[in-house]
Amino acid sequence: ALVGSFYRSALALLGAFADPETGHAIVDLEGARHVIGLLDVLAEKTSGNLTQDEATMLGEVKAELKLAYLNVAQATAQAVRERAKTQS
C-alpha cells in the first residue's frame, strides 16, 4: 500500500493525472524526484526483509518512475527551448 501511494503520488507530480478542479495536469519535477528518492530509501532500508515478489514490485515501480521522470524532464526541457526560440 505504501509503495502504491508513492507510485500514484509520483505519477501525479509527473503530470499523469489532470487536476480535478482545473482539468490541467501539473508537472512538479522536484516533487516527483523527492518521491522517487523516498522509494530508493525504502528499498535500501528494507533490503533483505522483503519477499521476492515485494522486492520485484518495488524495483519495477522505481524503474518505471525513473524512466517516466526522465521522459517528462526531457520533454519539459525541449518545450522550454522551443518557447525560447519563438520568443526571441
Side-chain angles (χ1 to χ4, degrees), residues 24-87:
H24 294 52
I26 297 174
V27 174
D28 178 359
L29 290 173
E30 184 65 28
R33 190 171 62 93
H34 178 74
V35 173
I36 294 167
L38 289 174
L39 286 168
D40 283 333
V41 170
L42 181 64
E44 180 183 324
K45 295 296 184 182
T46 59
S47 179
N49 294 317
L50 299 176
T51 66
Q52 184 60 41
D53 288 343
E54 291 169 335
T56 298
M57 188 258 310
L58 181 54
E60 289 173 355
V61 164
K62 287 177 21 181
E64 181 182 335
L65 289 175
K66 287 178 180 183
L67 181 59
Y69 176 89
L70 180 61
N71 290 335
V72 171
Q74 289 175 341
T76 301
Q78 180 64 30
V80 168
R81 284 191 297 271
E82 288 177 10
R83 185 176 303 145
K85 283 181 187 178
T86 61
Q87 291 179 352

